[in-house]
Amino acid sequence: MNSLPLRSVYLGGRWTAPRAVGTIAVENPATGQVVAEVPDCGSEDVWYAVDAARSALPDWSTTGPAQRIAALSALRDALTKSQEELARTVTREMGSPITFSRRVQVGLPVRVLDGFIDALSAATAEERIGHSLVVREPVGVVAAITPWNYPLHQTVAKVGAAIAAGCTLVLKPSELAPLSAYALAELIDGIGLPPGVFNLVPGRGKTAGAALAGDDGVDLVSFTGSLEAGRRIAAAAAPTVKRTCLELGGKSATLVLSDADLEKAVEDGVRSALHNAGQTCSARTRLLVPRHRLDEALDVVHSVVAAHVPGDPEDPACLLGPLVSAQQRERVLGHLARAAADGARRVTGPDPAARPLHAGHFVAPSVWTDVNPSSALAREEIFGPVLAVMAFDDDEDAVSLANQSQYGLAATVWSADTDRAVSVARRLRVGQVDINDAGFNAAAPFGGYKQSGIGRELGRHGIQEFQEVKSLQLPR
Ligand code: NAD
């Protein structure tokens, strides 16, 4: 991390001095100490980055799959070689436990790149419909605006799709966790991608991010982050009718049907709510259990929560690190106070505000019952280690409770009967549903219904988001 060129921006294939005068301090959330500073770029830096991306577009957009696969493979290999250093960087910048950083924060982007490589190898970009030849072409210059919670994964999902689709890109990483984006840029610099295909401009959302979203030279904004920022970006993109792909928040549910293996199902539901300290867009923060099995479920909840003691994220045994910032900690504690005021009952966990380490932004896990379905605890994305346990009477009731949300990102349905689980899954208004412990598929489309967003990322569908479709009517 110390060797990263953190005073520079990456434009047109070179590290160069930014026009920005200010800097942004990056804090280690486990200690509260500043570990680095990056430039606080504004519209001038954004302008130069977009210009570099536009200049590279004519050549890169006409490359074929072989050259794009070669670039993606080289990036995948570079990521794999640097896994340990990258995992440490992510843990340092946003507080994920190191074991989780190795397995997910860095392990997942490697699989995401494999998904793009497989999709490019398998798919033909053209199809015939009657006398039309339908072709896919790169959308153009992509602005990628990313959050801090999976800083490398969300960045790679956009950079990989852009490379695969033949687009060029300007990345604005989260101001809270920009260091892994610098590490990624160093790796990209080393694989010999043509200058200008990838550009990095660090900065804040309201300045660099807003400038990118409104820039005439950007054809598509791919954004992952909060609902509020997503709405602003869509509004900033509207005057130029830019394409927008929005991956926003969620209030996802685990549905434990009456015939499920209750212990496994509840364990999985609790872990999903707590991993990455609850800072996962698809975290299943509502656990829906049959009313007659509620007490049994709470016994399992207790034992899983007891293993999640907040601690030093650099310790390989740590399961629960800090939240990303003091502000996020205050937000989450505010939600918990409101949950209690709204009549919910905390059934487990130590005092959420107890701090295991000085100054770090820790919040202990908490699980709540007697949750009113219309309360904020049941409806709002809290983004902390907080789980609402709610009871249902039958499958119909479970589906209706799960769908009672402005969001529609993900769900898991547990049942001993796969057909029954799939039938329930089909009725959920969400973008992805796991059946039992099926797990994440880095090549399957990822994205949300309703206010969880617009568009899909990853694999073939993720590449297609960055392409336009053209119909050529051929002479008959
Ligand atoms: P955020 O919206 O505050 O910031 C995300 C990014 O957007 C940052 O780079 C920020 O600088 C930028 N930004 C903020 N305001 C902007 C504006 N007006 N114009 C342009 N850019 C702007 O979100 P966050 O706090 O970094 O991330 C947490 C949120 O992201 C949660 O709500 C979470 O659910 C969501 N998220 C969603 C997914 C998904 O795939 N659906 C994945 C991860 C996180």
Side-chain angles (χ1 to χ4, degrees), residues 146 148 154 172 175 205 209 223-226 247-249 281 381 383:
T146 52
W148 45 264
Q154 280 137 352
K172 200 227 54 85
E175 55 272 48
F223 168 73
T224 299
S226 60
E247 298 290 348
L248 309 174
C281 52
E381 182 178 58
F383 239 50

